Structure formats: C-alpha cells, structure tokens
Amino acid sequence: VETELYELLGVPSSASETDIKKAYRKKAKEHHPNPNDPGAAQKFQEMAAAYEILNDPNTREVYDREGMNGFTGPGGRGGGMPADAADMFAQFFGGGTTFFDFAGGPGPRKRKGEDTEIPYDVTLEDLYNGKSVKMNMEKEIICGSCSGSGTRGSAKAKECSHCEGKGWAFTQTQIAPSTYGTMRTKCSECNGSGSKIREKDRCKKCKGEKTVKEKTRQEIFIEKGMPDGYRIILAGAGDQEPDVPPGDVIFRLKTAPHASLERSGSDLLATVKITLSEALLGFSRILITHLDGRGISVSSPPGKIVTPAQTIKLRAEGMPTFKNPDQKGDLYIVLEIEMPDAQWLQGVDQQVSPRASAMIDM
C-alpha cells in the first residue's frame, strides 16, 4: 500500500479529513514559493497534489486501494483541485484558477523485473518431430562484489536530494492561461531509484550500476505439434535487479514457410502434380516426402479417372496434436494435372500421319 502522499503532508494513513486539511495548511505555509528558495515551489506543488487526492473521500479511497496507479494506469481517474486547495494556491501565486491533472509517473515499486521476448524461427520439420535447442545468452545479474548495493566497502548510497528518496517528483506544466497541470514523473537525478552513489563510493566491478553482464547457456524444448506463435517461457531467466524478482525470457515461435506443405491446425495440405496419362490410366507411386523423411506412397482408385483439383485424404498423416502427440491430424493431397505441351502434340502428329496416309492408299 502506498503512503507517500500521507508522508508528504506528515500525517498517518488513518488521519481524518480535518487533520489532513490542517496539515496541508501548515505545510503550505512552510513551503511558500519564493525566489530565494527554488525548491519551495516544487515542494508546494507536491503538497497541493497530495492534498488534492487525500482531501476528497472518493479519490482518497482510490489511492488507499490502488495507489497512484488508480489515477495514472488504464482507466485511472483524475480530477480538479478542491476549492480550498485552489483558494490557498491562489493566495500564494497571485490569483487565477488552477487545476491539477495526474498522468504518467512510475507508479508503485515493481513486483517483478521486465520480461524479455525473443522471436525464434522454426521449421515445419521442427514442429513435427520436436527438438531441443541450446543457445548462449547474455543477461544482467546482481554484482557479486557489492551484492547489488552498487557501493564499495562500507559506503552507502545517499538519499537523492531532488526527490527526497521517493524516486519520483511532481513537475508543473502550464496548459492554459492561469491553468496548470501537475505530472508525477520519474526522478531525473536518480533515475527513479531514490538514491545516488558518489563517484568515489562506487563499486569497482559494476561501477555503481549494481548489476554486471554474464553469459549463460539456456536450453529450450520445442515439443511436437506446438502452434505457430507459441510462447516458450523460461521463468525467472531474465535480467536481475536488486530487491526485484527477475523477469522471464520468452521465446515466441515463428514458423518458416515450407516448400511443399502448408499447415492448418493439426492438418497438412500438399499440392502434387501428376501427368495426364497418370490421370487417365492411374498411378501408384511416392507422391511426397513427409516431414520425418518418409516417402508417402499413394495409389489412385482403379478404373477411375482423376479430375483436376481432386483431393486425396490420408488419415493420421498430419501434424501431431500438441500435448498429445500420439494423435495426428490428416494430410490432404490436392492433385494437379500437367497437360501436354505443344512439343508433345507435334510428336503425336508425326507418329499418326504416316499411318493415316497408308490407310488412305489402301
């Protein structure tokens, strides 16, 4: 549960509306913006933004339940500053109507590191037969010399003075005459960590970055029948960060086109050419080479003429079913008839013409 806004006003999360209003008035006077203290205006913006949320029962309920994500995430809610806060702001800045709108910002502390997704090309043969793949990878791991602190010896990181250790700060933007918007953004001084390490205190191995690169060897298993686009997840194999569980490495399968076969779910489709004589007189031969190297022999129905685009269905000769490889789909073979060319006709004419002349002479 986030409590940063309560801490900004110096009240506990159980404070009443009256306590919150009193605390805000006191803090606002302490941080009255003035030219001699550039940080006062920034601090006042933070006070006003915190008061805007905590003084309204509805927005306070959202904050207590979801933190700042309730205002900045998908479907987040914003709102104008309550009248008391607007009046108080006007007293300090010389009048005008000012409203605050929340957008962006780093949100609460991450529960998990970033996932890494890697496209991986596979062939139809890989998905039919299955295979194991070993590969070398590089990832960030916690520095062993400083155990992820980023510091050397007994040195410690110092709290970032810009964000006061929160990792974020409010920035003000004028969106119209006398109208301002306030956005919570990641602190630019500490990159959202809330602390900074002096140059002389940085770990020699990781240079204060807290992590170092390491080469690892990973193995993935492509199971029989996996569909195109399937995500193979290596849980916890992603980059490491201090105090955050590592993310996952995800391999997304991308099937390369096959020269003679097309896949549709668990079924396979092939188009095979036969000669005109085979279409008329029949055939019995190997039509295609399957994905496991077997020759698929097919015989046409005896006494029947094969018509163009006629399809032969071979049961259980398709793709294995994912997670149940003993079951397979079907293989559909579409027959395409090659018609004779002009040279073939010329040869026939040369063979037929002398016999025709002889018959005429008789």
Side-chain angles (χ1 to χ4, degrees), residues 11-22:
V11 296
S13 58
S14 59
S16 65
E17 290 185 26
T18 302
D19 292 337
I20 290 174
K21 184 175 292 187
K22 289 180 179 179

Side-chain angles (χ1 to χ4, degrees), residues 114-317:
E114 296 291 333
D115 293 338
T116 302
E117 185 165 308
I118 304 171
Y120 187 76
D121 294 330
V122 292
T123 64
L124 206 52
E125 285 86 353
D126 295 335
L127 299 176
Y128 183 86
N129 299 299
K131 72 185 257 189
S132 170
V133 182
K134 293 182 180 180
M135 61 189 73
N136 294 322
M137 297 181 63
E138 190 175 67
K139 71 173 186 178
E140 297 286 340
I141 64 167
I142 301 296
C143 176
S145 295
C146 64
S147 300
S149 67
T151 60
R152 56 189 301 183
S154 59
K156 294 183 178 180
K158 304 296 182 182
E159 181 182 277
C160 176
S161 59
H162 183 72
C163 67
E164 296 183 343
K166 297 187 298 292
W168 53 268
F170 287 111
T171 57
Q172 184 185 31
T173 303
Q174 185 172 0
I175 57 179
S178 301
T179 304
Y180 297 84
T182 297
M183 180 182 296
R184 192 178 80 158
T185 58
K186 183 169 66 174
C187 177
S188 58
E189 295 294 320
C190 64
N191 198 31
S193 67
S195 61
K196 296 177 68 175
I197 304 173
R198 293 181 298 181
E199 184 72 31
K200 66 176 184 177
D201 293 334
R202 293 179 183 176
C203 169
K204 290 185 177 181
K205 185 176 181 180
C206 67
K207 305 296 188 293
E209 297 296 327
K210 303 179 181 180
T211 60
V212 293
K213 293 187 180 297
E214 181 186 67
K215 292 183 178 180
T216 61
R217 190 164 179 82
Q218 298 287 359
E219 183 176 14
I220 62 174
F221 298 93
I222 300 172
E223 299 180 39
K224 294 181 179 181
M226 277 184 170
D228 182 48
Y230 187 81
R231 300 162 77 241
I232 300 175
I233 301 175
L234 302 182
D239 292 332
Q240 298 178 2
E241 300 177 53
D243 304 320
V244 179
D248 304 330
V249 174
I250 303 169
F251 291 90
R252 183 181 292 276
L253 302 184
K254 182 179 179 181
T255 309
H258 194 271
S260 58
L261 289 167
E262 294 181 25
R263 180 183 184 182
S264 177
S266 294
D267 295 331
L268 291 172
L269 173 67
T271 300
V272 177
K273 293 182 179 181
I274 61 173
T275 65
L276 178 58
S277 60
E278 287 179 320
L280 296 174
L281 305 175
F283 62 87
S284 179
R285 65 179 176 90
I286 293 176
L287 291 185
I288 64 169
T289 301
H290 212 304
L291 297 170
D292 57 0
R294 290 179 296 120
I296 302 299
S297 181
V298 179
S299 299
S300 60
K304 290 188 178 181
I305 296 176
V306 177
T307 58
Q310 184 172 332
T311 302
I312 299 173
K313 178 180 178 180
L314 301 180
R315 296 185 181 277
E317 285 292 356

